[in-house]
Amino acid sequence: MNEERKQHDGLDPELASISDALDELGRVERRAAPGGLESRIFEHTRPTAPASGGVLARIGPGWRLAAAVGIGAIAVAATWYAVQRGSPSAPGPSSDFDMVAFEAEFETWLAELEEPMDDIESVDSGFSTVEAAYENFWTDPLALGEESL
Amino acid sequence: MTADIPFESEAGGDLAALLRLASTGCDDAWRRVIGLYARRVHAMARSRCRDDDLAEEITQSVFVTVSAKLTGAGQGAYEEQGRFESWLFRITMNRIRDEMRRRKRQASTADPSTFGHIAAGSEPDRAAPEDLQALRNALNELTESEREVVEMRHHGQMSFKLIAETLKQPIGTVLARHHRALKRMKETLESRRGVTS
């Protein structure tokens, strides 16, 4: 800036003095800005600044859900397409063998589950007891009498 | 002549880093960008419209645009890497021109005295010294293009190179326009001095 100001040297002295006076006017105008200008501008422009995290942070939950649904649909379609294309040409023996192994594994898994299944049955019978008590309450004449009062 | 706010060259390489930070949502960086330019933008707007509220409105609108485009939230996001200042001041000049056009349109359909007041340029600033007021009046006598160069240079503290970039004009044209403007202002001031004496 100072170097540029040396261009005044080439100016007619009267023009240079006008240029200096304009610099002064400019300074007066800048200082005349109302107090708190920067803070007000900051507050007004802040919402449009991005939240930290960049583009991803600006994507709303609706768009994220839509993206997830879209990706899921593409995955399902791709799987279906692969199965459709793959089934006629898939070699039999190796896939049969895999199926047998899978069935054996499944049986083992079911056997391991037997005990927890017993637990589930006991919980189920507990529910039946509560249900019976509930029904008894509503058929109890004393309870119904209170209701009618 | 002292500069209270740095020129583009003095903001230097830091400016690019500052803008990068501001574009990622760093509040401190954005606050510094505002600190560097808000008063310069405001002074340019105030010089033209002589209305603090309107000048602030224009300044705010410039920074809303800059913020949106800097962060890529708006259309035509900021891509002019390394030319931030000319881009910012171009937005400023466009806003000021739009506002002045709007005011002239409103004035022409309203009370003719309002138009006269705007054409005369300004509401006198009673706090300002007489010679500054005389300078303001002389500024009002310039053509639109001369006035823009003078305000960019002296109110916006822009280098001639930056003014040339902002206006998309050769630097020689800008220098000639500035020189012509000073000459015209000198003549105006002399003629008024002659009238008053």
Side-chain angles (χ1 to χ4, degrees):
Chain A
M1 179 175 179
N2 292 332
E3 274 183 25
E4 264 206 57
R5 290 296 170 188
K6 285 177 188 164
Q7 287 173 7
H8 277 184
D9 297 342
L11 277 177
D12 171 322
E14 282 197 57
L15 292 190
S17 71
I18 289 179
S19 179
D20 286 342
L22 281 168
D23 281 339
E24 181 56 30
L25 178 63
R27 195 176 305 128
V28 167
E29 297 287 15
R30 283 191 299 280
R31 288 184 180 162
L37 173 76
E38 285 91 347
S39 305
R40 283 193 298 280
I41 291 173
F42 177 75
E43 288 307 320
H44 278 92
T45 54
R46 199 178 174 182
T48 56
S52 47
V55 176
L56 283 177
R58 289 202 300 274
I59 298 173
W63 284 107
R64 287 186 205 175
L65 183 66
V69 169
I71 290 168
I74 290 168
V76 168
T79 309
W80 178 81
Y81 183 70
V83 167
Q84 288 297 105
R85 278 195 68 184
S87 55
S89 60
S94 67
S95 52
D96 284 346
F97 175 77
D98 286 344
M99 186 53 80
V100 168
F102 175 74
E103 276 172 9
E105 221 171 287
F106 188 67
E107 291 292 332
T108 315
W109 181 70
L110 278 181
E112 282 171 0
L113 271 181
E114 261 182 277
E115 276 187 36
M117 287 298 269
D118 290 345
D119 290 344
I120 288 169
E121 275 169 19
S122 70
V123 170
D124 189 42
S125 69
F127 273 123
S128 306
T129 314
V130 171
E131 195 180 14
Y134 184 74
E135 277 174 9
N136 288 341
F137 174 80
W138 290 110
T139 51
D140 184 348
L142 186 60
L144 287 175
E146 279 174 4
E147 184 74 11
S148 65
L149 283 174
Chain B
M1 219 301 308
T2 52
D4 45 0
I5 301 170
F7 264 92
E8 181 183 33
S9 55
E10 287 165 346
D14 287 346
L15 183 61
L18 199 62
L19 292 171
R20 244 193 324 275
L21 271 175
S23 72
T24 61
C26 172
D27 280 353
D28 284 345
W30 180 237
R31 208 187 286 274
R32 280 192 62 197
V33 172
I34 291 172
L36 275 173
Y37 300 106
R39 280 176 186 263
R40 294 160 73 180
V41 170
H42 187 273
M44 286 162 69
R46 187 177 189 269
S47 169
R48 192 62 67 92
C49 63
R50 310 299 323 146
D51 178 335
D52 278 335
D53 291 339
L54 185 57
E56 185 163 338
E57 211 175 287
I58 292 171
T59 309
Q60 218 162 76
S61 124
V62 167
F63 279 93
V64 165
T65 305
V66 170
S67 165
K69 296 201 172 179
L70 196 63
T71 58
Q75 277 192 336
Y78 171 67
E79 284 167 1
E80 295 176 78
Q81 296 302 321
R83 296 182 177 200
F84 174 76
E85 291 194 335
S86 57
W87 176 66
L88 167 84
F89 287 117
R90 203 173 304 132
I91 295 173
T92 303
M93 292 316 296
N94 288 338
R95 286 286 187 286
I96 293 172
R97 285 177 195 152
D98 288 350
E99 191 53 43
M100 291 303 102
R101 268 198 293 268
R102 196 180 64 81
R103 281 181 70 164
K104 273 188 184 165
R105 260 203 314 275
Q106 280 181 354
S108 65
T109 55
D111 182 3
S113 62
T114 316
F115 181 77
H117 167 73
I118 290 168
S122 56
E123 173 187 315
D125 185 346
R126 283 173 198 164
E130 218 170 272
D131 53 346
L132 290 185
Q133 191 53 49
L135 265 181
R136 283 189 185 121
N137 293 337
L139 203 54
N140 292 330
E141 301 294 318
L142 298 178
T143 64
E144 184 71 17
S145 59
E146 288 166 352
R147 187 175 180 158
E148 276 183 1
V149 171
V150 168
E151 286 173 339
M152 284 173 149
R153 174 71 178 162
H154 300 278
H155 295 62
Q157 291 190 293
M158 295 164 68
S159 64
F160 285 119
K161 181 173 170 276
L162 182 56
I163 297 172
E165 273 176 23
T166 304
L167 295 176
K168 296 182 176 170
Q169 297 278 340
I171 193 160
T173 306
V174 170
L175 284 166
R177 213 175 270 173
H178 183 254
H179 190 265
R180 200 165 51 237
L182 294 185
K183 263 180 101 172
R184 276 168 66 102
M185 287 184 79
K186 182 190 159 202
E187 286 163 11
T188 307
L189 289 168
E190 280 175 353
S191 70
R192 285 194 181 161
R193 240 176 254 147
V195 169
T196 50
S197 63

